[in-house]
Amino acid sequence: MNASQAARPDLRASRLDALARRERTTVLVVGGGINGISTFRELALQGLDVVLVERGDWCEAASGALSRMIHGGLRYMETGEFALVRESLLERNRLLANAPHFVSPLPTTVPLFDYTSGITSAFQRFLRLTEKKARRGGVIVKIGLTLYDIFAAPSPMPKHRFHGRSATFRRWPDFNREIACSATYYDGQISQPERLGFEMVADAMAANPQALAVNHVRMTGTKDGRVMLADTLSGRLFSLEPDVVVNATGAWIDFANEALTPPEARPNARPPRMIGGTKGSHLIVDNPRLYDALGDEMVYYENQEGRVCILFRYFDRVLIGSTDIPVSDPDGLRCEDDEIAYILDSVRLIFPDLPIRREEIVYTFAGTRPLPASDASVVGRISRDHSCPVVPATAGRPFPVYCMVGGKWTTFRAFGEQVADKVLDALHLSRSVSTADLPIGGGRHYPASAGERAAWIEACARATGLPPARVEALLHRYGTSARAMAEELGEQGDTPLAGLPEFSRQELDYLARREDVETLADLLLRRTPIGITGRLGLSVAEEAADVLAGAKGWSRAEREQRLDDFITRLARDHAVRLERTADEFHAKRRVS
Ligand SMILES: Cc1cc2nc3c(=O)[nH]c(=O)nc-3n(C[C@H](O)[C@H](O)[C@H](O)COP(=O)(O)OP(=O)(O)OC[C@H]3O[C@@H](n4cnc5c(N)ncnc54)[C@H](O)[C@@H]3O)c2cc1C
């Protein structure tokens, strides 16, 4: 450890101390997925005294399990959710401007098996006469895309195009020969949603010293009108007296409402059930033929059951999704074997000659969509819109609970803004800052054109002494926040990891000390794309454990335990197996 590292204060310890000192807060936001983070940011920017707690890491649940599309939701046109589509498209366009380091245009091709299918059933669905899925043909998709273009205007991206059979096969020679035509339109994709979530937390705290956000802190219940909190890493306990609670726990909203209702009030004041979540799983595959076939486009298609599936390049891999299965318990989800088979079958329908072998799956992930409770018989028909029912104050709980139900990643800003406005209204306060055009984190002053990027890279390389190629990689990974990191790496050295030379020890150390990193999963699965892109070998995990042990002051035994836990969770939740031989493991244990 060098002198400057030793002198740095422990951010987490000081935040936990601040939490312990704080007797009261105006607003407590529970849940650090993208919706809780968004509301926290909105309120912090208005100068409110606001606290955000997340029981795990920022964006570790649904907000890290999305299909990584920033989209209007073409298929919601059919169910007549025009307001949602319009809002989503507006937010998509804003994200392209406010987070250009992670959100980019995604040309999307829809392969179609005929022209006329689905016309009657689409109108029936629109009129709510049926919920059944049915294949959509060219005519109905053309109508949908025309309306989509109208709703998206003014859009920074081109309008849709329709392609007949020969044009379709010129571009997509590997498509199923039964495909009759295709359409291409534009939506958005997000490369690192978890990082964007973290950046919003950091922006909010930088803007307002009264705003306090701590991850790995769980809300456990209420007592004497106070909300009880526990640090999940140390067991340290806290309590706070809020004026308002925002329940942003996604699929756990009903559990959190139960915990927030004092036992004596439960018989009469039990809040209604709000969530009816569905599980969705994705695969990341390393299949060069599929990667080449896709180019820069997403294929957005209906599978055998009429369920919409997606397929697009993600870094240098291919992301494939997803399933949609009702679940009552959102904990402990992972992509199961039958889901893998289902997803691979779906791909075969479109690319029958580009088989994916199971060994090519480098990572899987699953999450629960926190959809509103619904009695729809087809899960795909449950509304993706958001709402904010309020559970009023009750005996033993003198504060109301604002519940963030539903919503998409794409609409987090609008949803957070609406909930914050509702809270501000209730507190008789008014809004002073809008986030509509506010750049986020490393999206600030992001060099937009190729020429500006080249100039940025050259200036940063000159100032820090790092090679331009290295600066370019950092810009790609962290946006303009790369500048501060590059300055530190330029001063302290930039030693490539032995197992993954495109990342360095000092880079991981920088993240570990400054970015709310407490576990190996925080670092390797959420602050960096190392895990999700299948770059995680045992040696990388070992090196990262060394870096984190140094940054966090872990003992040898703690390092071993943390690494062991991480390896177990990686195998269980993401189908990534890092084998440690028993001899190696026991030898390390003996050292400790
Ligand atoms: C498979 C799938 C695909 C999707 N694809 C897309 C897409 O492509 N585009 C799009 O726009 N949207 C997509 N979505 C939707 C989007 O991801 C979610 O709607 C959004 O992330 C929900 O965010 P949230 O903050 O409400 O919930 P979450 O992200 O689940 O956050 C809730 C948080 O609350 C925490 N929590 C729970 N209980 C407690 C407690 N007691 N104390 C403290 N913290 C607690 C949890 O740990 C969790 O982190 C997808 C969702 C899924 C699951």
Side-chain angles (χ1 to χ4, degrees), residues 75-76 79 81 131 133 278 307 324 371 376-384:
R75 71 196 168 91
Y76 313 138
T79 42
E81 294 187 89
E131 291 184 339
K133 290 179 196 140
T278 71
R307 195 187 134 52
D324 201 2
L371 305 179
S377 59
V378 176
V379 286
R381 299 276 165 255
I382 302 172
S383 170
R384 263 53 174 175

Side-chain angles (χ1 to χ4, degrees), residues 29-37 53-71 76 190 217-220 229 247-253 255-256 259 278-282 310 322-323 365-371 384 404-411 415:
V29 181
V30 182
I34 200 60
N35 287 326
I37 290 173
V53 292
E54 160 57 46
R55 67 177 187 173
D57 187 23
W58 311 126
C59 292
E60 85 158 42
S63 301
L66 68 158
S67 301
R68 289 163 198 256
M69 290 157 62
I70 296 298
H71 64 147
Y76 313 138
I190 180 160
V217 169
R218 178 194 293 267
M219 182 280 293
T220 56
L229 306 171
N247 178 355
T249 56
W252 292 269
I253 280 182
F255 299 96
T278 71
K279 174 191 181 191
S281 294
H282 292 85
I310 51 146
S322 66
T323 51
F365 59 96
T368 308
R369 300 176 183 87
L371 305 179
R384 263 53 174 175
M404 299 189 76
V405 176
K408 298 162 55 186
W409 219 99
T410 308
T411 52
F415 193 14

Side-chain angles (χ1 to χ4, degrees), residues 340-357:
I340 294 180
Y342 175 90
I343 293 171
L344 295 183
D345 262 2
S346 303
V347 179
R348 224 167 283 132
L349 180 72
I350 302 299
F351 290 111
D353 300 325
L354 297 181
I356 300 169
R357 286 177 290 121

Side-chain angles (χ1 to χ4, degrees), residues 242-468:
D243 294 337
V244 170
V245 166
V246 174
N247 178 355
T249 56
W252 292 269
I253 280 182
D254 294 323
F255 299 96
N257 276 342
E258 178 93 13
L260 286 166
T261 307
E264 63 275 18
R266 277 182 202 159
N268 306 318
R270 177 169 263 129
R273 186 168 82 91
M274 296 182 187
I275 291 290
T278 71
K279 174 191 181 191
S281 294
H282 292 85
L283 313 179
I284 303 285
V285 303
D286 179 14
N287 180 309
R289 283 185 67 204
L290 188 57
Y291 180 87
D292 288 344
L294 288 168
D296 289 332
E297 289 179 58
M298 172 162 88
V299 177
Y300 180 89
Y301 64 100
E302 286 174 317
N303 71 0
Q304 334 42 344
E305 294 184 323
R307 195 187 134 52
V308 172
C309 297
I310 51 146
L311 197 58
F312 63 103
R313 279 184 180 177
Y314 183 66
F315 289 87
D316 55 351
R317 312 293 194 209
V318 176
L319 184 153
I320 315 175
S322 66
T323 51
D324 201 2
I325 304 166
V327 283
S328 51
D329 181 0
D331 280 303
L333 298 184
R334 61 173 176 199
C335 177
E336 301 291 347
D337 244 26
D338 55 342
E339 290 180 276
I340 294 180
Y342 175 90
I343 293 171
L344 295 183
D345 262 2
S346 303
V347 179
R348 224 167 283 132
L349 180 72
I350 302 299
F351 290 111
D353 300 325
L354 297 181
I356 300 169
R357 286 177 290 121
R358 290 247 174 170
E359 313 84 83
E360 292 172 333
I361 300 172
V362 297
Y363 193 82
T364 67
F365 59 96
T368 308
R369 300 176 183 87
L371 305 179
S374 157
D375 48 15
S377 59
V378 176
V379 286
R381 299 276 165 255
I382 302 172
S383 170
R384 263 53 174 175
D385 210 346
H386 47 78
S387 64
C388 180
V390 181
V391 183
T394 182
R397 197 202 53 223
F399 49 83
V401 181
Y402 288 62
C403 304
M404 299 189 76
V405 176
K408 298 162 55 186
W409 219 99
T410 308
T411 52
F412 73 79
R413 197 207 63 83
F415 193 14
E417 183 180 70
Q418 288 153 20
V419 173
D421 283 346
K422 222 168 155 165
V423 170
L424 289 170
D425 251 16
L427 296 169
H428 308 292
L429 298 169
S430 53
R431 169 177 289 277
S432 52
V433 176
S434 164
T435 51
D437 301 314
L438 192 67
I440 302 169
R444 264 189 292 277
H445 309 299
Y446 190 74
S449 67
E452 286 168 344
R453 265 194 299 283
W456 194 97
I457 290 164
E458 196 198 318
C460 181
R462 207 174 328 106
T464 61
L466 295 185

Side-chain angles (χ1 to χ4, degrees), residues 95-272:
L95 271 170
L96 286 164
N98 294 336
H101 54 322
F102 297 147
V103 180
S104 55
L106 179 62
T108 300
T109 287
V110 189
L112 298 158
F113 283 83
D114 64 35
Y115 283 88
T116 52
S117 285
I119 297 177
T120 315
S121 58
F123 280 108
Q124 284 175 333
R125 277 195 296 274
F126 184 75
L127 297 171
R128 307 220 184 278
L129 298 176
T130 182
E131 291 184 339
K132 281 204 200 105
K133 290 179 196 140
R135 184 168 274 176
R136 297 145 184 105
V139 173
I140 206 73
V141 168
K142 174 81 191 164
I143 295 171
L145 286 175
T146 304
L147 288 171
Y148 204 66
D149 282 340
I150 294 171
F151 284 158
S155 166
M157 298 183 291
K159 290 194 162 67
H160 83 273
R161 279 165 291 130
F162 216 84
H163 318 288
R165 185 179 160 82
S166 49
T168 298
F169 280 97
R170 264 200 308 281
R171 163 63 186 90
W172 298 97
D174 296 304
F175 266 179
N176 182 337
R177 302 310 293 178
E178 288 174 28
I179 286 168
C181 54
S182 64
T184 303
Y185 70 103
Y186 279 76
D187 250 325
Q189 62 181 313
I190 180 160
S191 57
Q192 299 190 71
E194 306 86 350
R195 276 202 65 79
L196 198 67
F198 160 75
E199 288 185 347
M200 285 166 54
V201 172
D203 285 355
M205 285 209 284
N208 176 358
Q210 291 294 306
L212 176 64
V214 204
N215 56 354
H216 300 287
V217 169
R218 178 194 293 267
M219 182 280 293
T220 56
T222 51
K223 196 169 170 210
D224 303 329
R226 300 176 70 80
V227 178
M228 312 305 291
L229 306 171
D231 175 359
T232 58
L233 301 173
S234 70
R236 186 174 170 188
L237 301 177
F238 309 84
S239 75
L240 268 182
E241 198 184 323
D243 294 337
V244 170
V245 166
V246 174
N247 178 355
T249 56
W252 292 269
I253 280 182
D254 294 323
F255 299 96
N257 276 342
E258 178 93 13
L260 286 166
T261 307
E264 63 275 18
R266 277 182 202 159
N268 306 318
R270 177 169 263 129

